[in-house]
Amino acid sequence: MTSSDAPSHDPVDFSDLEFADLLTPDRVLLLDKIDKRELLDKMIELTVRSGSFGSAESLRLGVFGREELMSTGIGLGIGIPHVRLKTVRHLTVTVAVVRDGVSNYESMDELPVRFVCMIVAREDQHSRHLRLLSRISGTFKNPAALEAALQCKTSAELFTLLTGRPA
Amino acid sequence: MCPTNRPKNSNKDSELLIMTILILIGLGILGGMAGGWFFQKIRFPQVVGYIVIGLLLGESGLRVIDSAGLASMRSVNIFALGIIGFLVGGELKLAGFKKYARQFITILLFEGICATILVALSTALIVWKITHCIPAAIASGLVLGAISSATDPASTIDVIWEYRAKGVLTAAIVAIVALDDALALTLYGLCSSTAQLLTSNTGSVMRSLGQVFTELAASVALGTAFAVAVVLFLKRFARNERAAAMTIGMLALVIGIADAGKLDVILAAMMVGFLLVNLLPRRSEEVFRLLRAFATPIYIIFFVMVGARLALKDMPLWLWGIVLTYIVGRNFGKAAGSWAGAKLTGAAPSVRNYLGLGLFAQGGVAIGLAIVAGDKLGRIPVTKDLLLSDMIVYVVTATTLLLQLIGPVSVKLSLRKSGEEGKNLTEEDIMNDLKVKDLLGGQPPPLRESSSIADAVKYFTRYDLLIYPVVDDNNAIRGILTFESLKDILSDRECWGWLLVADIMTPVTEAASPEETLHSVYDRMQQLRIDQMPVIGETERKPLGVIDLRGIRQAVNSELLKRGI
């Protein structure tokens, strides 16, 4: 599909996400194909490595515990695994784009998930956490946002797209 | 004298004395509390427990507290008597008594004089039967009769406070126990001087009475002077703690001066309390409340020492006959005198029927009077081993013991029978009585962490709470959902479809336990400035509901109404 064939969408303003202070280049993944569990494990590992969290095991329990209650695949190819925990030092975002999509994500519209944004917040960051969830869903409601993310060739390019900063 | 030349022994002695006093204070408070707790459990007034512990530790029991220990505690006891006098004076609010003044004074005279006459006649008769000595019989009858007219204000008022009594009978008991000290001293002055005349042909009734009245007037004057000083100071001290500290200081001075001048300590301190409560009724309220809290350990020590002082081990058996006669005569005299006085003045039926029961307690002051009377009477043998003066001390000691055990119980009975028990409750008392679990009826079920936001919104529209406990599949608490949290996403309805209660709940930082008193949880909520708090079971961490300030206030008001207050 060429850009001229694509349905017209409102222009996407990624600055609404306010990712500049929350995301670092090492927490941006660009993948072709991956299983849900494997993807979430990878993202958890990156989050822990960034130093914002104490133990990978408790983060894993929190993230997968939330997925057990209900999948965080909110439809339109978007997944937002998120958790608030006491041991988190500061709010951290980790992003993955999976070009072929995660087919076993159990998304609400049953479509494969291509853009996954993991949010790990401290227990008392209630309002900030909810605002961030709302901004991500609001931004990616526009299919052009996912389209633009999928066009990125490298993780550095994806980082720049989302934060407006060079990697 | 050069300090290095000071004898070392006197330092050691004073150190030993201080240690003895501190150990006795510690023993007295802790032992007394244990006794009070036990007797409260078996539905006796706590004061009985304090006295029984004193008996066990003292002269009649294990002798852990011996006469030397008791002597070292003298100043503590005098201070306690003064504080008791002050607090009893604080109960005499003129606004409540004016209406009944004539009635109470008539009843006071009737109950006091009736007890005196009955005890004097009956004990004199027994002593005459044993000694065949008319002067000894009359002398002992007069002294015992006069001593029997006094009622112990301390234990009586203690029971009134413990059972939160309020009403016309309570007012009558308070007024009479406060005033009959003066009546008893007058009767005592009159009778002991007559007895002295009879037994030693010395002394003069008029001189003795004059002395008694001078003492009473000087006590009243001393109390009045200090009361004026306290009132003036209280007007300047804004903070209640300072005001209470100043009042305690002033009281210590009144008590010390009265004791040094051989005046009536109770009466002088009572005068301070009486004038303070009537001149500054509102301002003094908090001071009396603080003093009452301060007085609790002093009360306990005082009553433990009352018990410890009673030495009954060596008392001849036949004297118990006089003891029983004294008790029956005194109690019957008080009951009949109160009834007759009440009948004559048209007092309320509760006063007529139950006032006598409320006046049975006899205090440690009676023993002091008996000892002083004994000194006046000279060395008259009743039997070959017993002097009349010792006989009087034994009888008054034994009757004090029995009446201190019977008295508080009968005060409780009189308050209960008249229906005045528990009528002086404040909202704070009710909040201390009720527990969180008493308010947990009709609570909505907790929310599940997997519930949708739409379900959570329904809770807020259906029920009247602002917070809801959130549970997992095992019904264990996971957090609470507050209206504040929900507000953050109320406008973003698109999120409702994929967010869960688990995503917006907040952790439980404060929770009430079902066994916690309403008073404690109310205080915590006020401090935290929150209106509602989840209630969580103590063992399984399961939420039992939500408690809110409005619910607490409603429960307290309906309880006050239910109890007719």
Side-chain angles (χ1 to χ4, degrees), chain B residues 142 146-147 182-196 204-213 369 376:
Chain B
L142 282 173
I147 290 172
L183 174 71
L185 283 175
T186 311
L187 288 172
Y188 173 77
L190 195 72
C191 294
S192 63
S193 302
T194 313
Q196 193 181 2
S204 136
V205 176
M206 287 318 287
R207 199 193 314 146
S208 181
L209 267 186
Q211 205 181 333
V212 166
F213 283 122
L369 291 180
K376 279 187 178 179

Side-chain angles (χ1 to χ4, degrees), chain B residues 10 40 92 205 269 307 325 347:
Chain B
S10 83
Q40 196 181 36
L92 293 171
V205 176
T325 312

